[in-house]
Amino acid sequence: MRQLRLAALLLVTASSLQAQGATLSGRVLDINGSAPLVQALVSIEGTILTATTDAQGRYRLETVPAGPQVIRAIRIGYAPVRRSVTIPPSGSLVQDIV
């Protein structure tokens, strides 16, 4: 009986942890906002969340903690860019980085 309760508690805890946070996505573009930056590294400062942009400059980060966060984008040959955003408790947010 105790093992069943423990298993149920662990399952509920794991499910709630997975549901926390939101999805952050967008594009990383050059300074003119006209060309996508491919292979730029996008991260949330103070976390281990990172993504690399694709051929269209798109990135996607999942389970981003809710509240104020700082997005950082870096790419060789370009100055690093930081943007402040407020992440919702759930759902998604689109934030392009120019």
Side-chain angles (χ1 to χ4, degrees):
M1 185 71 153
R2 283 186 180 174
Q3 289 178 343
L4 181 59
R5 286 184 198 163
L6 179 60
L9 177 63
L10 289 174
L11 183 60
V12 169
T13 303
S15 296
S16 66
L17 286 175
Q18 284 183 339
Q20 293 178 353
T23 299
L24 175 64
S25 62
R27 297 179 70 200
V28 179
L29 304 166
D30 69 3
I31 197 163
N32 299 320
S34 59
L37 293 185
V38 179
Q39 297 294 309
L41 181 66
V42 179
S43 62
I44 303 296
E45 290 187 356
T47 74
I48 60 169
L49 299 173
T50 61
T52 303
T53 58
D54 65 13
Q56 288 79 41
R58 293 190 188 110
Y59 71 92
R60 181 180 177 93
L61 296 164
E62 297 188 6
T63 63
V64 179
Q69 301 291 347
V70 177
I71 308 169
R72 180 178 165 112
I74 57 173
R75 173 75 166 90
I76 294 174
Y78 293 84
V81 175
R82 298 172 76 228
R83 295 285 182 263
S84 295
V85 296
T86 301
I87 305 295
S90 62
S92 62
L93 176 68
V94 176
Q95 177 68 53
D96 290 343
I97 303 168
V98 179

